[in-house]
Amino acid sequence: MTIEFIDLKAQYRHLKSHIDQRIHAVLEHGQYIMGPEVAELEGRLAGYLGVKHAIGVSDGTTALLIALMALDIKAGDEVITTPFSFIATTEVIALLGAVPVFVDIDPKTYNLDPALLEAAISPRTRAIMPVSLYGQCADYDAINAIAEKHGLPVIEDAAQSFGARYKQRASCNLTTIACTSFFPSKPLGCYGDGGACFTNNDALANRMRQIRIHGQDRRYHHPVLGLNGRLDTIQAAVLLAKLDTFDEELAARDRIAARYADLLGDLAPYVETWNRSVYAQYTVEVANRAEVQAALKAAGVPTAVHYPVPLHRQPVLAGLALPAGSFPLAEAAAERVMSLPMSPFLNEVDQHHVATSLLRALQR
Ligand SMILES: *Cc1c(COP(=O)(O)O)cnc(C)c1O
């Protein structure tokens, strides 16, 4: 018995005719770059989230980079973020020559702890970039209140939280700018790289649209520094097909998470009462992780670790000189977290096998 970690093939089988039709329409009309599906998707995404502007881009990392560029983040500026995320969150700050300033996490949700945020603000702070990790929003009311007091913009790294809700409001519509990823295994994924930026601010939207196409405002005229950050038309077509049933998938994620919680009891991840997680990862904590992973592997259950090394301990950021112990809660989580198979297409038999194998490995 082998179980998929995220079952994308089952999703394709379910949506095949719709997806194939959408892709073929692009192959037929031939507008592979910025074809009509890109604008159609942007309209649909904006409507789905209730946000004014959606801007399709090439991937989630570029979405974050474009957001920082639109906010004019420059060398020497400080951007506050979490040490417990995928490297992309910090990479884009460093690429601009800016300095990532880390704030430790709330160990229950793994998201940036707002109680520690204000102490990290300095005269050089230019933005705050929290991550909504594993599909659960950070505490944006608390974060936004501190940001507002200091006149700072907030960027939600919503690469894992498209579709999540925070106090009845949509992830991707909670902050100055939000950025998501449509990498295949994200909650809403395409069949290659893809991403989007979101904002309610007209001037920032206009800037991000320009930056996405080499900083141009009209053809061969470039008022600002940009890059090639466009979303492929074919990927937009795939996303349009998948968006039609996305709410059904979210309902399935809820059902599967509830079933896991029943089976796993207090091992189940903590979700704040005001949050609806999309479970981009279904992540538990175990003490003897390597052994548990090996036992699960032997039982045909794949697992993954998101993430084994906190960002301040990554060799590429050695220049920041942040020794072990700098962010103890992120470091402790990195030693213990382990993600289980999760997707809207995880069937009950397989899920039961995952849970019983885990409980057996833990001798519970
Ligand atoms: C996936 C991810 C990204 C990067 O998205 P890509 O589309 O792979 O570039 C950024 N931040 C977080 C938290 C992610 O999980």
Side-chain angles (χ1 to χ4, degrees):
M1 180 167 193
T2 302
I3 296 167
E4 298 278 334
F5 186 67
I6 297 178
D7 200 346
L8 296 174
K9 283 173 282 188
Q11 184 198 42
Y12 177 60
R13 283 194 296 274
H14 185 65
L15 299 173
K16 182 176 176 5
S17 66
H18 198 28
I19 290 174
D20 289 0
Q21 209 178 339
R22 274 288 188 171
I23 290 175
H24 278 111
V26 177
L27 296 176
E28 291 294 336
H29 71 52
Q31 294 176 61
Y32 308 125
I33 302 292
M34 296 304 280
E37 284 80 0
V38 175
E40 185 185 349
L41 176 70
E42 290 174 345
R44 287 277 304 279
L45 292 173
Y48 185 81
L49 300 168
V51 71
K52 197 162 174 197
H53 302 281
I55 299 147
V57 300
S58 53
D59 56 84
T61 308
T62 303
L64 294 168
L65 183 62
I66 289 174
L68 291 175
M69 289 170 74
L71 291 167
D72 215 13
I73 303 300
K74 292 186 298 290
D77 292 347
E78 291 178 359
V79 177
I80 295 175
T81 188
T82 166
F84 197 52
S85 181
F86 181 56
I87 187 71
T89 315
T90 294
E91 190 175 55
V92 291
I93 299 169
L95 274 172
L96 293 172
V99 181
V101 172
F102 295 112
V103 167
D104 211 349
I105 57 168
D106 170 345
K108 297 205 303 295
T109 63
Y110 307 107
N111 284 323
L112 185 149
D113 185 349
L116 306 174
L117 174 57
E118 198 154 25
I121 295 175
S122 89
R124 285 189 301 278
T125 307
R126 291 290 174 271
I128 302 167
M129 191 154 74
V131 178
S132 298
L133 203 71
Y134 302 153
Q136 169 169 218
C137 285
D139 189 357
Y140 287 103
D141 279 352
I143 292 167
N144 286 338
I146 295 163
E148 204 166 306
K149 184 173 149 198
H150 293 268
L152 295 167
V154 179
I155 302 166
E156 180 189 15
D157 179 342
Q160 301 184 10
S161 63
F162 184 88
R165 312 287 293 182
Y166 170 82
K167 302 183 182 176
Q168 315 298 328
R169 287 135 63 198
S171 170
C172 299
N173 190 11
L174 299 167
T175 53
T176 318
I177 298 175
C179 300
T180 199
S181 164
F182 303 125
F183 186 84
S185 59
K186 306 283 174 164
L188 179 63
C190 54
Y191 289 155
D193 279 308
C197 301
F198 306 98
T199 186
N200 288 302
N201 180 308
D202 296 343
L204 285 173
N206 192 37
R207 243 181 131 199
M208 292 193 285
R209 286 185 194 285
Q210 290 181 2
I211 292 167
R212 163 178 73 170
I213 306 188
H214 300 293
Q216 75 174 25
D217 57 356
R218 54 183 198 277
R219 200 160 200 200
Y220 302 133
H221 189 259
H222 309 273
V224 298
L225 193 62
L227 42 77
N228 180 352
R230 296 173 297 236
L231 176 66
D232 287 346
T233 311
I234 284 188
Q235 301 305 343
V238 171
L239 291 164
L240 281 164
K242 288 198 186 185
L243 204 49
D244 289 335
T245 53
F246 185 63
D247 279 337
E248 290 164 35
E249 290 194 358
L250 292 185
R253 285 177 185 274
D254 280 343
R255 277 197 306 277
I256 290 163
R259 213 187 286 146
Y260 261 145
D262 274 350
L263 293 163
L264 298 176
D266 61 4
L267 276 175
Y270 176 83
V271 177
E272 296 283 11
T273 52
W274 56 76
N275 271 330
R276 182 199 193 184
S277 177
V278 290
Y279 297 99
Q281 305 298 345
Y282 192 90
T283 306
V284 300
E285 285 193 32
V286 291
N288 47 339
R289 183 172 62 198
E291 284 163 47
V292 174
Q293 283 193 286
L296 287 174
K297 191 175 174 199
V301 175
T303 58
V305 176
H306 307 94
Y307 296 92
V309 182
L311 298 174
H312 65 286
R313 300 297 297 152
Q314 288 291 349
V316 68
L317 294 177
L320 294 176
L322 295 167
S326 301
F327 303 98
L329 298 171
E331 289 165 35
E335 306 248 299
R336 294 171 55 89
V337 290
M338 182 183 78
S339 305
L340 301 177
M342 178 71 185
S343 83
F345 296 88
L346 180 61
N347 70 55
E348 206 165 338
V349 175
D350 286 354
Q351 191 179 8
H352 199 264
H353 179 68
V354 172
T356 51
S357 302
L358 174 59
L359 294 173
R360 196 172 307 132
L362 294 171
Q363 287 160 3
R364 289 209 191 181

